[in-house]
Amino acid sequence: MGLVTDKVALVTGGAAGIGRATAKTFAAEGAKVVVSDVNQDGGAETVRMIEKAGGTALFVAADVAKKADVSDLIAKTVAAYGRLDCAVNNAGIEGKIAPFAAQTEENFDAIIGVNLKGTFLCLQAEIAAMLETGGGTIVNLSSIAGLIGFSGLSPYVASKHGVIGLTKNVALEYATSGIRVNAVCPGGVDTRMLDSLAEQVTSGAQSATDMMAPLHPMGRIGTPQEIAELIVWLSSPRAGFITGTAIPIDGGYVAQ
């Protein structure tokens, strides 16, 4: 028996990185998985990887910043598998690095639209589906940028702080409805997003690993699989008394 045997799990932003690792881990632990992303090729590849390993998965394209897409995503999940038990709101973008005074409205709107509004829209639709079947679990992807500030990343920091606020509030509102809601706050992780940030900061002079590893007390960055393991555990009955939390998984970064 896996941690989430016979559960139905949805992972947004599942085309790569933490989302792909999470979708694969859900499947390995016994869940039927719905993978969603705007990147259709990457999402389809995640599904192929799950099926090749003997799991069950479905890809549904969706832009989480659009309510119609989110509604369609949840409807297709329920149509395919009859219910929604576990949801992971992972879809996110980093945007452009710039001093606060130079940040554009367009960059702010894009980041807030995906990272915060997208989480809001997904939460609403996921909770509605879970209430129909007696409950479920939701994990939102925040960041250490949801706990502390980072120069040049004000819209991203605002969005990830907002995700933690939503997590706490929604967890309280549905604590007696069988729905647990938590957030995870990764530090530097070996993903495309970290590569993009490193490229913006160093113009390619340093890799993401070289730039970020020394900033973490453990002397390295994390792996997508390490984040996935926490997410799936939080979604399992073994974490049954945990709700409303924002858990750093950062090699000690915010303990400094």
Side-chain angles (χ1 to χ4, degrees):
M1 291 285 286
L3 285 174
V4 286
T5 297
D6 296 328
K7 300 294 186 182
V8 175
L10 165 65
V11 181
T12 69
I18 292 171
R20 172 174 285 174
T22 300
K24 290 170 65 180
T25 304
F26 266 116
E29 292 290 346
K32 300 178 180 70
V33 183
V34 177
V35 178
S36 185
D37 207 294
V38 293
N39 178 352
Q40 297 192 33
D41 291 341
E45 178 61 21
T46 300
V47 169
R48 283 192 292 271
M49 294 168 80
I50 290 170
E51 291 176 340
K52 185 177 180 180
T56 301
L58 167 73
F59 175 70
V60 179
D63 179 348
V64 298
K66 297 178 179 178
K67 185 173 183 176
D69 278 22
V70 173
S71 297
D72 182 63
L73 169 60
I74 302 304
K76 287 180 176 176
T77 298
V78 174
Y81 297 130
R83 58 190 296 120
L84 175 62
D85 300 300
C86 310
V88 180
N89 297 318
N90 168 71
I93 60 174
E94 73 281 2
K96 297 178 181 177
I97 297 176
F100 179 74
Q103 287 285 349
T104 66
E105 183 179 1
E106 291 75 19
N107 190 50
F108 182 87
D109 286 346
I111 293 169
I112 294 296
V114 175
N115 296 3
L116 186 54
K117 179 185 174 184
T119 300
F120 167 82
L121 292 174
C122 285
L123 280 166
Q124 284 196 323
E126 290 155 0
I127 286 168
M130 290 175 179
L131 289 173
E132 292 293 321
T133 52
T137 64
I138 301 173
V139 178
N140 297 320
L141 266 290
S142 183
S143 164
I144 55 173
L147 300 169
I148 58 177
F150 284 89
S151 180
L153 288 173
S154 52
Y156 183 80
V157 168
S159 74
K160 292 303 186 179
H161 274 69
V163 167
I164 292 176
L166 278 178
T167 298
K168 291 179 178 180
N169 219 72
V170 174
L172 293 176
E173 290 191 32
Y174 293 92
T176 59
S177 300
I179 298 175
R180 295 189 296 107
V181 188
N182 292 290
V184 296
C185 303
V189 179
D190 186 13
T191 62
R192 177 214 57 80
M193 182 181 288
L194 193 67
D195 289 339
S196 172
L197 291 170
E199 173 67 27
Q200 290 188 62
V201 171
T202 71
S203 299
Q206 273 189 306
S207 69
T209 298
D210 289 343
M211 182 182 78
M212 292 297 296
L215 304 179
H216 294 71
M218 290 181 70
R220 67 173 179 89
I221 60 174
T223 68
Q225 187 61 37
E226 288 174 315
I227 313 306
E229 295 287 348
L230 174 59
I231 291 169
V232 175
W233 181 81
L234 279 173
S235 304
S236 78
R238 293 187 184 181
F241 199 50
I242 302 176
T243 196
T245 63
I247 302 176
I249 177 166
D250 63 356
Y253 195 109
V254 298
Q256 298 178 99

